[in-house]
Amino acid sequence: VQLQASGGGLVQAGGSLRLSCAASGRTFRRYTMGWFRQAPGKEREFVATISASGFSTTYTDSVKGRFTISRDNAKNTAYLQMNSLKPEDTAVYYCAADSQDGSKLAATYNYWGQGTLVTVSS
């Protein structure tokens, strides 16, 4: 599986962005999808994950109520809708695939996109 993340950019605090993760291949519907982020000087951290079916989602506490993960298996694409963005959300965002449902551990994901930069100005 090859993953291509897009949708990052510069936005003011309080604004919104939607990230997309397009996957190649016909097995996308079998994979759990996750979003992670890495801020400058910090370790990569879990943001959200969605089960293969799309029925189950998990979020890190800091984005609950602001971010929504979703997927469209017909389009082989996962999304991360980010609302009420804060300067502390500034990071490179990565999508990842293939893990146990609900996993928050980067090491359990086998496939990674290249990352897309989100910058939130105050």
Side-chain angles (χ1 to χ4, degrees):
V1 175
Q2 291 186 324
L3 303 176
Q4 180 74 38
S6 62
L10 174 63
V11 63
Q12 289 188 335
S16 298
L17 283 174
R18 188 176 81 156
L19 305 183
S20 298
C21 178
S24 64
R26 294 178 289 181
T27 56
F28 173 80
R29 65 182 66 248
R30 300 177 186 174
Y31 295 143
T32 288
M33 297 297 296
W35 285 96
F36 291 77
R37 65 187 180 186
Q38 187 166 17
K42 295 187 177 181
E43 293 187 353
R44 190 171 299 189
E45 66 171 352
F46 167 77
V47 176
T49 184
I50 186 167
S51 63
S53 66
F55 291 145
S56 178
T57 58
T58 304
Y59 298 91
T60 192
D61 286 346
S62 64
V63 308
K64 285 180 180 177
R66 300 189 298 122
F67 291 11
T68 303
I69 189 171
S70 62
R71 65 190 298 156
D72 185 336
N73 286 344
K75 296 182 178 180
N76 281 11
T77 303
Y79 304 96
L80 185 68
Q81 177 66 43
M82 305 185 296
N83 298 329
S84 302
L85 282 161
K86 304 175 181 180
E88 52 263 43
D89 294 318
T90 295
V92 176
Y93 283 71
Y94 299 89
C95 61
D98 189 16
S99 173
Q100 297 178 4
D101 279 354
S103 175
K104 301 178 182 180
L105 300 177
T108 61
Y109 289 80
N110 291 326
Y111 304 102
W112 290 84
Q114 84 289 1
T116 185
L117 177 62
V118 172
T119 303
V120 184
S121 63
S122 57

